[in-house]
Amino acid sequence: ESSEDILEKYRTKPAVSAVVSQEVPLTNIDVTAMKEKRMSVKDEDIHGPPLYDPENLETCFAFTDTKRKLRIVLSNTDIQLGYNLLEFSPQVGQEGVKKDPAEIYKMLRGQLAEALNLQDKDLIAQLHEAIRCVRLFDGEGCRKLVRSLQEDYQSRAAYVSYLIRCRQGLLGTHSHLQRLLSRIKRDKEVCGNHMTRICVKLFIEKKESSVVRFMSDFNKLTVSDEKTDHVEQFLQYLYQAMNQDPVWQAANECQIEDAQLAIERYIMSRIYTHAMFPNGDGDIMRDQLFQEHIKKLSNVITPSHKDLRIPRMYQFECPWTAAQKEIYMINAYKTPKDKVKCVFRCATTIMNLLSMANEKAVPAADDFIPVIIFVIIKANPPCLLSTIQYIQSFYGNRIGGEEQYWWIQFCSAVEFIKNMDYNE
Amino acid sequence: MSSAKRPNGRASGPPVGGARNGPEGKSKQIKLVLLGESGVGKSSIALRFVRGEFNENGEATIGAAYLTKTINVQNSTAIKFDIWDTAGQERYHSLAPMYYRGAPAAVVVYDITSQTSFSRAQAWVKELTQQANSQIVIALVGNKADMASEGRVIPTEDGKEFASNNGLMFTEVSAKTGMNVDDVFTNLAAKIAAQSSPESNSTTVRPTNVERTEKGGCAC
């Protein structure tokens, strides 16, 4: 039957229970009110149907009331109960309850003990009440009670499975919406960043004269420590100035952080050539030589090369193209921080690829080092030596944690490449 | 697919115990290098310590190269270990100083079923005592203790004796069963905490500071 059919079935159901509750008007009212009512019923039997009626057991108020309470209690207790109930139910159909009519009572006592132990106040109260109600019934009554509960449960089975399917669908929709939401958030972030960048540009334009002065001062410096300090001081000056700028008064912390990053990017790109190649042509020549060296290595290198000996199980992802692309981009980034992030991404890409290769082994440094050496040789990004020097002098004292670890891995790989020869 | 679970590819463990916003900022960051021959199970020990798991059952993890974990030592100081795994192959030996430079703690691992790994471990210890930070706390660890009955080659006494002659901490562990693994790190943390507490705010245990002053040289 289709879900529509099932739904239809249950759409009519409330009407039936409504009829029942008309007979017993207090079904939906809370327990205390009911108790009061019961007391009064006891006194004035004439006014309503009898509370406990052995003749019409299954329609009397006590029966439906107890059943409802049992349902509440059973649905509130932990998942263990599902299996308790299963254990319990086969006996119901057969001799179980006949032999021991207190079976259900026992189970409730067990639950109560656990609830007491867990100090679950609500559950304790509900269980006490349920036990009190169950006590009204004899063995036959208990059996009828359980059977009636079971029938209810079975008749709801289709509905329950329908609900489960609905929930599955909803979960799917939910995760889809989450993804859409994260896309929108990302878009918002990109727009926000862009706006920050534009504002920074306008702000820096106002400071152009001091930027020019800073640059000419910077170019006069020769000692690398002085250069680092100079950049740091100028950046601090700009951050201070930004704090006083009216445009930035309303900016939140995140925006300020982004703006500082943008300022750093801008300033570093202005002094980039001088900072990257402090010795001018000498540095450029050295980088070119190194690049030539790597190019020659690239002709002889294979994953099984004597200096690498990458295990076979890791060779299927060779040549780790994604990682090569990452590291090749390193010169596109101007600030030392962005360059280090680039190295970080390259390293984690390699680790990801390695961990995909073998589900059982967790890749570690032993597996990583030869692969990053291979990746660097194959990608052969220009200006490697100057890049390392640049980062050491302008970011060396700020780097830490995981970033530092991957950075040192990268440096040591480059160090190793320096000493490699062209033998196969 | 294992990688789908952690698309950002972070290799570190989940932040344990909230080191950064830890109790009154008393947490101390300690760089710890793992040294030892390739295949002795350096990273398995670290992984076992950080995640309490052994990778035998194929539990998905991106990597065990860089891991972190915070543990508390008796006087309510938290020690956050930055665990740096290093390549153990002999051909990469010359790169090691870049990793252990400035590290206040090192764990040198050998395999109790392999003589060569023990010799390598001894060489590591010599190198560390000569070249690393003089304050460095070293733990010598014999791994694969679960295989002692079938394949032990290095008697416990040999490890113990070498350790006591060189002032190292010594433990035999099994990354596979988890035996004694946590002890290695808790003992190290206790020793480091004890070492640094008399002179409070000592800079010797701050890896970043030491790194700062010495790193310029390795560029070329």
Side-chain angles (χ1 to χ4, degrees):
Chain A
E1 52 194 338
S2 76
S3 51
E4 200 42 48
D5 289 337
I6 299 169
L7 260 188
E8 197 48 48
K9 222 169 27 189
Y10 287 94
R11 276 187 194 122
T12 55
K13 213 85 211 206
V16 177
S17 59
V19 173
V20 174
S21 59
Q22 263 162 20
E23 277 172 46
V24 193
L26 287 174
T27 315
N28 290 325
I29 302 177
D30 66 283
V31 181
T32 47
M34 209 133 46
K35 272 186 197 157
E36 281 167 26
K37 177 77 184 171
R38 205 171 303 153
M39 296 310 252
S40 61
V41 167
K42 230 177 192 174
D43 295 334
E44 309 161 50
D45 269 0
I46 334 120
H47 288 303
L51 173 69
Y52 183 78
D53 181 4
E55 305 299 310
N56 298 309
L57 188 68
E58 286 175 48
T59 49
C60 77
F61 174 75
F63 189 82
T64 45
D65 181 46
T66 310
K67 208 171 92 178
R68 196 174 50 79
K69 283 172 186 164
L70 272 176
R71 259 185 73 190
I72 293 173
V73 167
L74 295 182
S75 64
N76 273 1
T77 43
D78 59 51
I79 197 78
Q80 277 277 309
L81 199 66
Y83 125 93
N84 271 348
L85 197 63
L86 281 182
E87 237 175 48
F88 180 68
S89 50
Q91 299 177 327
V92 177
Q94 297 141 21
E95 262 76 1
V97 174
K98 261 185 207 156
K99 259 192 271 167
D100 185 3
E103 195 73 23
I104 188 165
Y105 179 67
K106 263 193 193 166
M107 186 187 78
L108 290 172
R109 298 294 303 182
Q111 290 297 322
L112 180 61
E114 197 189 339
L116 283 169
N117 193 25
L118 292 174
Q119 297 268 299
D120 186 342
K121 295 276 183 331
D122 296 343
L123 192 58
I124 292 169
Q126 286 170 347
L127 278 164
H128 269 306
E129 176 59 16
I131 288 169
R132 194 188 63 79
C133 289
V134 168
R135 269 183 162 162
L136 285 174
F137 294 86
D138 56 7
E140 180 63 23
C142 278
R143 194 157 358 118
K144 277 189 177 161
L145 209 54
V146 172
R147 196 181 302 136
S148 166
L149 273 172
Q150 246 180 330
E151 277 162 13
D152 281 3
Y153 184 75
Q154 268 156 16
S155 69
R156 281 192 203 101
Y159 185 53
V160 168
S161 70
Y162 164 76
L163 285 180
I164 289 172
R165 262 177 287 135
C166 279
R167 191 167 168 78
Q168 257 175 355
L170 286 173
L171 282 173
T173 314
H174 181 76
S175 81
H176 177 65
L177 288 176
Q178 286 289 327
R179 204 167 309 153
L180 287 181
L181 196 66
S182 63
R183 255 182 244 168
I184 290 169
K185 271 188 191 148
R186 177 70 197 142
D187 282 352
K188 187 183 152 201
E189 221 175 274
V190 169
C191 290
N193 280 346
H194 190 68
M195 195 189 83
T196 313
R197 234 169 290 150
I198 298 285
C199 291
V200 164
K201 211 175 146 198
L202 293 172
F203 168 73
I204 297 248
E205 272 167 16
K206 281 191 278 183
K207 300 273 171 197
E208 185 58 28
S209 59
S210 55
V211 172
V212 170
R213 205 169 337 115
F214 158 76
M215 282 168 61
S216 72
D217 286 351
F218 181 84
N219 294 346
K220 278 180 218 148
L221 293 172
T222 49
V223 185
S224 97
D225 281 359
E226 285 175 7
K227 287 185 183 179
T228 315
D229 289 349
H230 192 55
V231 171
E232 192 50 40
Q233 274 167 20
F234 187 63
L235 284 176
Q236 288 306 327
Y237 158 74
L238 285 179
Y239 299 160
Q240 291 289 324
M242 197 179 73
N243 276 342
Q244 273 135 36
D245 195 273
V247 175
W248 295 96
Q249 293 311 310
N252 61 30
E253 233 170 87
C254 257
Q255 286 167 324
I256 295 279
E257 219 168 86
D258 282 346
Q260 294 187 343
L261 208 67
I263 290 177
E264 191 185 341
R265 283 198 183 120
Y266 178 82
I267 297 301
M268 290 319 274
S269 69
R270 289 292 289 271
I271 55 166
Y272 187 66
T273 319
H274 280 280
M276 212 23 201
F277 310 104
N279 306 314
D281 288 346
D283 287 338
I284 294 171
M285 279 288 286
R286 181 189 61 173
D287 286 336
Q288 280 171 350
L289 276 176
F290 191 56
Q291 207 180 359
E292 278 299 308
H293 168 64
I294 294 182
K295 205 172 163 189
K296 281 183 205 154
L297 285 173
S298 165
N299 293 328
V300 295
I301 201 84
T302 60
S304 321
H305 186 274
K306 66 172 168 57
D307 287 338
L308 304 184
R309 289 185 219 148
I310 297 168
R312 278 202 67 78
M313 70 170 183
Y314 289 130
Q315 287 191 16
F316 296 103
E317 284 76 27
C318 178
W320 302 278
T321 322
Q324 282 194 40
K325 277 187 185 150
E326 283 289 355
I327 201 64
Y328 191 76
M329 291 299 288
I330 194 162
N331 289 301
Y333 302 101
K334 298 296 181 239
T335 67
K337 196 187 287 173
D338 290 342
K339 282 179 193 286
V340 169
K341 274 191 190 142
C342 173
V343 169
F344 185 98
R345 277 196 303 273
C346 171
T348 45
T349 306
I350 291 175
M351 289 307 274
N352 263 310
L353 289 172
L354 290 179
S355 70
M356 273 166 81
N358 187 321
E359 291 205 333
K360 290 219 172 117
V362 179
D366 285 353
D367 316 303
F368 174 81
I369 269 283
V371 176
I372 193 162
I373 292 172
F374 183 90
V375 165
I376 293 171
I377 290 176
K378 284 293 173 190
N380 197 3
C383 316
L384 262 184
L385 298 178
S386 296
T387 301
I388 289 179
Q389 203 170 40
Y390 173 68
I391 292 169
Q392 305 278 20
S393 44
F394 290 98
Y395 197 57
N397 55 356
R398 283 184 284 163
I399 196 166
E402 189 169 4
E403 228 176 41
Q404 187 184 24
Y405 177 73
W406 296 115
W407 172 246
I408 295 292
Q409 289 278 27
F410 175 75
C411 290
S412 70
V414 171
E415 196 60 33
F416 188 78
I417 292 171
K418 275 188 204 165
N419 298 316
M420 281 173 77
D421 56 38
Y422 311 128
N423 297 326
E424 282 182 47
Chain B
M1 191 85 353
S2 58
S3 69
K5 282 185 189 166
R6 312 186 64 194
N8 56 358
R10 274 178 55 83
S12 73
V16 192
R20 261 162 228 155
N21 37 16
E24 296 98 46
K26 263 191 131 184
S27 92
K28 206 170 273 170
Q29 201 165 341
I30 296 292
K31 173 172 142 189
L32 182 152
V33 283
L34 290 170
L35 299 165
E37 198 183 43
S38 174
V40 297
K42 299 184 292 289
S43 55
S44 302
I45 293 174
L47 207 59
R48 184 61 151 172
F49 165 61
V50 171
R51 314 228 170 118
E53 85 184 36
F54 190 71
N55 53 24
E56 212 178 34
N57 50 9
E59 182 70 35
T61 18
I62 291 305
Y66 174 87
L67 297 164
T68 60
K69 179 160 173 164
T70 305
I71 54 176
N72 293 314
V73 281
Q74 65 279 29
N75 51 359
S76 79
T77 331
I79 298 263
K80 184 193 175 203
F81 281 118
D82 264 14
I83 304 172
W84 288 34
D85 188 23
T86 63
Q89 296 95 326
E90 184 63 51
R91 56 186 176 279
Y92 304 126
H93 187 115
S94 61
L95 306 174
M98 295 176 81
Y99 297 92
Y100 63 68
R101 177 180 296 143
V107 172
V108 179
V109 185
Y110 68 91
D111 172 356
I112 63 157
T113 68
S114 151
Q115 177 62 50
T116 51
S117 76
F118 187 56
S119 316
R120 279 297 302 280
Q122 290 174 312
W124 277 121
V125 169
K126 287 215 179 76
E127 184 175 332
L128 283 177
T129 44
Q130 281 162 14
Q131 298 190 34
N133 168 11
S134 58
Q135 293 268 325
I136 193 166
V137 181
I138 306 170
L140 180 70
V141 171
N143 191 22
K144 306 196 187 173
D146 55 291
M147 284 159 74
S149 54
E150 307 105 80
R152 179 191 285 279
V153 176
I154 310 297
T156 310
E157 291 69 37
D158 286 14
K160 221 179 246 173
E161 197 190 321
F162 180 75
S164 66
N165 288 345
N166 289 275
L168 320 173
M169 306 170 93
F170 174 72
T171 327
E172 278 191 358
V173 309
S174 164
K176 191 171 184 173
T177 65
M179 182 188 106
N180 292 343
V181 168
D182 286 0
D183 295 351
V184 173
F185 295 90
T186 39
N187 292 344
L188 268 175
K191 190 161 179 189
I192 288 165
Q195 199 182 51
S196 57
S197 55
E199 350 121 66
S200 57
N201 299 330
S202 153
T203 50
T204 49
V205 288
R206 299 283 303 276
T208 43
N209 287 358
V210 183
E211 199 69 21
R212 206 171 289 177
T213 51
E214 295 178 18
K215 209 164 42 187
C218 73
C220 46

